[in-house]
Amino acid sequence: MASSSPRPPSPWRRRLCGAGFFACLPLKALAAETPLRIETIQSEPFGRLGPQGPSGLMYDIGMLIVQRAGLAAENHVVPYARTVLSLQNGTADMVLRFTNDELRQVAHQVAPVLQLPTVVVSRREAPVQRLEELSHRTLSVARSFPVPERLSQLPGLQLQAVNNNEHAIQMLMGRRVDAAYGSNLGLFGAARGLGLRMQALAPPVVVERQTFWLHLSRSRATPALIERLSQAVEALQREGAIHRLYERALEAFGDDRMPA
């Protein structure tokens, strides 16, 4: 008796296996996996809550990564300071953020996702044009945001820790500090969210470049999942998908003073 031909794979399974950037797992195995719990920082333009639901640059990048890795996920936009605690207490699995000592203690750094310039921003009527001008002056910075030595070691500089970028800009415009430090998108996004135009601020002084990393909680950081997520990030970067989202976020500001 002639043997029957094997049934061809379903179109969904062909798409899944054809992706090529992660191991082709059976659909039952994928469906049975616990969805990744992502937390996105609530700060313009990275993560926001609106009438149409959550959105933002890092929200979109996070979803793009897990979709490319073939993973189920839920993504919540939460206050900046909460993300470290959530990774620590096990209520979140994945966060895209600049790294620091706190994060390295509670999470595994899977892959660098996006590098951003960090800048010093001041008021238009009281511009800071060189970092040396911050000596014996005050600088607001979001709590736990990494501050490089070229800033922290300026003579007499007073660092004022604040809750987030929005708070940093409020302190600046309220003349309670002389300047604010953070990423290009973070500070100008916070200013835009507060109803300010970029023209209210002096041209920024670029300090260095820092990287948003994909952080995975140690409870979920298995070698297989780390490999799967890192390959997804590499594939998206190779194709330029993450950079295109970044370019779109830059263009939304409509000001050529924004350092890229």
Side-chain angles (χ1 to χ4, degrees):
M1 184 168 112
S3 61
S4 60
S5 300
R7 180 180 297 177
S10 69
W12 168 244
R13 184 172 175 80
R14 283 199 298 269
R15 288 196 297 271
L16 195 61
C17 298
F21 54 84
F22 64 89
C24 182
L25 299 177
L27 288 182
K28 287 184 179 179
L30 286 176
E33 289 180 341
T34 302
L36 273 181
R37 297 165 300 174
I38 306 172
E39 286 193 348
T40 298
I41 57 174
Q42 186 174 3
S43 183
E44 283 284 348
F46 304 123
R48 69 180 72 92
L49 294 169
Q52 305 302 318
S55 61
L57 175 62
M58 287 301 157
Y59 181 92
D60 292 342
I61 290 176
M63 295 306 295
L64 193 64
I65 292 169
V66 295
Q67 288 167 6
R68 190 61 189 269
L71 296 164
E74 53 188 50
N75 196 338
H76 300 282
V77 176
V78 304
Y80 175 82
R82 176 174 150 182
T83 53
V84 175
L85 296 175
S86 296
L87 288 170
Q88 186 174 26
N89 63 29
T91 57
D93 303 314
M94 174 176 148
V95 170
L96 301 181
R97 255 191 61 172
F98 290 122
T99 195
N100 58 28
D101 291 338
E102 286 181 295
L103 278 168
R104 281 189 286 267
Q105 289 175 6
V106 301
H108 183 85
Q109 288 181 272
V110 173
V113 173
L114 181 65
Q115 194 176 77
L116 299 180
T118 62
V119 297
V120 166
V121 170
S122 53
R123 295 183 301 277
R124 183 181 60 183
E125 70 275 12
V128 172
Q129 299 174 316
R130 297 180 303 109
L131 294 186
E132 292 74 18
E133 295 174 16
L134 285 171
S135 294
H136 304 287
R137 300 175 81 178
T138 54
L139 179 71
S140 62
V141 58
R143 192 169 284 106
S144 83
F145 192 92
V147 178
E149 288 186 358
R150 62 183 304 199
L151 272 181
S152 63
Q153 294 187 354
L154 286 172
L157 176 67
Q158 298 179 44
L159 291 175
Q160 178 65 55
V162 296
N163 294 330
N164 49 38
N165 289 321
E166 287 75 13
H167 192 190
I169 294 295
Q170 288 172 332
M171 294 279 285
L172 174 64
M173 301 311 293
R175 293 172 173 76
R176 297 173 64 187
V177 296
D178 298 299
Y181 176 63
S183 69
N184 59 341
L185 289 183
L187 288 177
F188 282 108
R192 183 177 63 182
L194 292 169
L196 297 170
R197 301 186 64 185
M198 289 185 69
Q199 289 76 11
L201 303 168
V205 179
V206 177
V207 179
E208 61 174 13
R209 301 183 74 85
Q210 292 190 24
T211 301
F212 267 77
W213 279 79
L214 191 163
H215 297 89
L216 194 61
S217 67
R218 297 198 179 276
S219 61
R220 289 297 298 271
T222 64
L225 184 56
I226 290 171
E227 178 68 12
R228 199 157 156 189
L229 287 169
S230 63
Q231 288 186 4
V233 173
E234 289 170 9
L236 291 168
Q237 288 177 333
R238 187 167 57 248
E239 296 163 5
I242 292 175
H243 186 71
R244 283 192 294 273
L245 288 176
Y246 175 51
E247 288 290 326
R248 188 187 308 168
L250 283 175
E251 290 170 3
F253 286 92
D255 193 306
D256 59 9
R257 294 180 305 168
M258 173 75 81

